[in-house]
């Protein structure tokens, strides 16, 4: 049965977007949406994003589009920006977890847009992973999590961004970034000026784009204070543990790229000293440093190279770790340490791949938290279990 027909009949279909794969259902059918929560094992208080094909769809899902949203719509839609808007009465409660707002996005991916058009309904669509696991960036990842649970996955190859959309609340007088993502705070500020950013690790709101708090109007300062003291999170999803492989993740960090490389190497050597099997996700520069400094008897298993060249035998993986394979350091290098976009693009796939190595610990290198780097660092912290409650599965 074609994907669009399955969706019209209330079934679930996983589909590619430019960010990550989504798990789609007819957003106007409460039973179909309920099946999403079941398939993912997702807590019902975490609302879903509604995907529409165009501005007409946006107008049907939102009760009202505030004036400051229009410039953002013109600039970033279609694309990896999700807007939180007042909710129209056609949106069922289960989609928004009872909130009076709804998150909407127009994906840019041609397959996603065609699927919405062919099915003729807006698609509620969280990332197509089981709750708590890294979001899927290939159809194979979706299959890992959803085999036997959903009837169809539409394979559109690898996702361009590899990280989810930016979730931006535009219902107040100042836009609030609820989840950093593929559209950076800097890009948003270039269109609408200062924005608030929720920092889930500290449960505070940080003002972006202002040099001194005194340059803000009183009303903006009030909002900053209000948001930082607020009880319930404005984006319920932020409180849950996310993106977490089974293997514990430790973050290596430092004030600049070189310092991070040295910290990654030091953490790896410490872990080896403690007798742990180590997997590393880092920049190419760090990979070179590590290759030079491995203690005698240790080998680097570069999973990336093994993957790039099919003729190379795959490195040993989880099920039965022989004494021999315990002498490997598993490694994936994402690209230059100056380019957070490749780190962001590869993170989720690398976490899944390194998790399958059966290592005792994954050491993942941080990046500068500007541009898409902010979203990368946010996901990395969550993968390491920071700033969030344990996953509610
Ligand atoms: O890139 C993406 O956004 C992907 C693709 C498939 O579109 N979708 C995605 O959905 O990441 P999901 O469900 O994994 O994350 C949606 C986030 C959650 O943090 C949720 O709490 C938040 O958006 N959210 C949804 N509706 C909201 C609302 N009305 N108010 C505040 N936050 C909301
Ligand atoms: Mg998700």
């Amino acid at each position: 049965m074609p994907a669009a027909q399955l969706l019209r009949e209330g079934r679930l279909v996983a589909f590619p977007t430019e960010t990550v794969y989504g798990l789609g259902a007819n957003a106007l059918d409460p039973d179909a949406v309920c099946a999403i929560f079941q398939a993912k094992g997702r807590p019902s208080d975490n609302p879903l994003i509604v995907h529409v094909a165009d501005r007409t769809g946006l107008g049907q899902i939102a009760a009202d589009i505030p004036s400051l949203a229009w410039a953002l719509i013109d600039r970033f839609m279609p694309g990896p920006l999700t807007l939180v808007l007042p909710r129209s009465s056609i949106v069922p409660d289960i989609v928004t977890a009872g909130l009076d707002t709804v998150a909407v996005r127009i994906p840019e991916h041609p397959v996603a847009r065609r699927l919405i058009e062919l099915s003729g309904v807006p698609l509620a669509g969280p990332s197509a992973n089981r709750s708590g696991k890294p979001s899927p960036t290939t159809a194979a990842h979706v299959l890992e999590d959803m085999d036997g649970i959903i009837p169809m996955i539409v394979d559109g190859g690898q996702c361009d961004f590899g990280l989810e959309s930016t979730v931006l609340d535009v219902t107040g007088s100042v836009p609030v970034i609820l989840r950093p993502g593929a559209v950076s705070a800097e890009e948003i500020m270039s269109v609408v000026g200062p924005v608030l950013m929720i920092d889930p690790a500290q449960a505070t709101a940080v003002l972006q784009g202002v040099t001194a708090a005194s340059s803000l109007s009183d009303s903006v300062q009030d909002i900053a204070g209000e948001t930082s003291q607020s009880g319930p999170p404005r984006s319920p999803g932020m409180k849950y543990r996310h993106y977490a492989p089974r293997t514990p993740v430790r973050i290596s960090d430092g004030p600049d790229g070189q310092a991070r490389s040295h910290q990654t190497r030091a953490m790896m050597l410490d872990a080896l000293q403690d007798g742990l099997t180590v997997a590393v996700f880092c920049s190419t520069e760090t990979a070179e440093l590590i290759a030079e400094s491995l203690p005698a008897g240790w080998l680097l298993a570069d999973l990336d190279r093994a993957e790039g060249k099919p003729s190379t035998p795959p490195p040993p993986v989880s099920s039965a770790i022989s004494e021999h394979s315990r002498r490997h350091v598993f490694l994936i290098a994402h690209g230059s340490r100056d380019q957070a976009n490749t780190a962001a693009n590869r993170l989720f796939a690398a976490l899944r791949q390194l998790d399958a190595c059966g290592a005792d610990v994954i050491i993942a290198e941080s990046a500068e938290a500007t541009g898409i780097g902010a979203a990368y660092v946010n996901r990395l912290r969550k993968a390491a279990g920071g700033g969030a409650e344990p996953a509610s599965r």
Side-chain angles (χ1 to χ4, degrees):
M1 189 188 293
Q5 195 177 337
L6 282 169
L7 288 165
R8 277 196 300 273
E9 292 184 3
R11 312 282 304 277
L12 306 186
V13 173
F15 63 98
T17 82
E18 68 277 22
T19 56
V20 300
Y21 274 74
L23 182 57
N26 177 358
L28 305 181
D29 175 348
D31 292 337
V33 176
C34 182
I36 290 182
F37 285 93
Q38 282 164 356
K40 275 185 65 91
R42 177 170 173 129
S44 61
D45 67 352
N46 192 1
L48 305 177
I49 295 173
V50 178
H51 298 70
V52 295
D54 50 31
R55 290 174 184 208
T56 312
L58 206 62
Q60 284 161 356
I61 296 304
D64 170 42
I65 299 186
S67 52
L68 86 88
W70 282 111
L72 295 162
I73 293 169
D74 282 343
R75 172 77 173 77
F76 299 114
M77 289 185 159
L81 177 69
T82 295
L83 291 182
V84 171
L85 295 163
R87 155 196 174 184
S88 128
S89 58
I90 66 165
V91 181
D93 273 351
I94 187 166
V95 172
T96 66
L99 296 174
D100 55 8
T101 55
V102 62
V104 199
R105 115 173 169 85
I106 305 177
E108 189 162 31
H109 198 292
V111 174
R113 295 180 72 186
R114 192 83 188 111
L115 187 62
I116 301 166
E117 282 162 8
L118 287 173
S119 61
V121 291
L123 297 183
S127 49
N129 50 288
R130 291 277 301 165
S131 202
K133 296 247 313 221
S135 298
T137 57
T138 66
H141 296 159
V142 181
L143 193 63
E144 258 172 45
D145 283 16
M146 295 291 165
D147 196 12
I149 299 177
I150 61 171
M152 189 180 285
I153 301 167
V154 179
D155 188 347
Q158 200 163 330
C159 300
D160 280 351
F161 288 99
L163 276 188
E164 300 88 346
S165 63
T166 305
V167 179
L168 186 73
D169 185 332
V170 286
T171 58
S173 54
V174 176
V176 184
I177 297 180
L178 299 176
R179 178 178 72 180
V183 175
S184 68
E186 291 85 347
E187 286 175 287
I188 293 170
M189 287 184 308
S190 73
V191 176
V192 291
V195 296
L196 285 168
M197 173 111 92
I198 303 283
D199 182 344
Q202 293 162 24
T204 53
V206 183
L207 274 159
Q208 301 280 313
V210 283
T211 43
S214 58
S215 66
L216 295 167
S217 69
D218 289 350
S219 61
V220 173
Q221 292 196 45
D222 283 352
I223 290 165
E226 214 176 85
T227 313
S228 57
Q229 289 157 21
S230 65
R234 277 179 81 168
S235 185
M238 300 303 276
K239 70 182 179 179
Y240 292 108
R241 183 162 177 248
H242 275 97
Y243 320 115
R246 287 182 303 271
T247 315
V249 176
R250 292 181 192 165
I251 299 174
S252 54
D253 205 352
D256 58 37
Q258 203 180 10
R260 282 191 287 274
S261 288
H262 284 97
Q263 163 89 349
T264 307
R265 177 177 63 177
M267 285 174 67
M268 178 204 68
L269 291 173
D270 281 354
L272 294 183
Q273 191 101 57
D274 292 344
L276 303 180
T277 307
V278 182
V280 183
F281 179 62
C282 62
S283 66
T284 331
E285 292 89 341
T286 305
E288 280 162 17
L289 192 67
I290 284 178
E292 288 164 10
S293 21
L294 275 186
W298 287 90
L299 291 173
L300 208 56
D302 185 337
L303 303 197
D304 219 18
R305 260 180 218 152
E307 202 175 55
K309 295 181 196 152
S311 56
T312 314
V317 285
S318 60
S319 41
I321 294 185
S322 66
E323 271 316 294
H324 175 70
S325 72
R326 289 200 76 86
R327 310 291 291 177
H328 281 88
V329 169
F330 301 98
L331 184 132
I332 296 178
H334 52 71
S336 167
R337 61 189 172 204
D338 303 326
Q339 289 181 341
N341 59 328
T342 57
N345 184 268
R346 303 283 308 277
L347 176 67
F348 288 149
L351 288 177
R352 281 180 183 259
Q353 210 182 339
L354 293 175
D355 205 19
C357 294
D360 299 311
V361 62
I362 296 172
I363 297 170
E365 192 167 84
S366 195
E368 198 185 323
T370 56
I372 190 142
Y376 171 76
V377 171
N378 169 273
R379 303 307 190 273
L380 204 56
R381 288 203 185 130
K382 291 195 166 195
E389 292 171 10
S392 160
R393 281 164 200 267

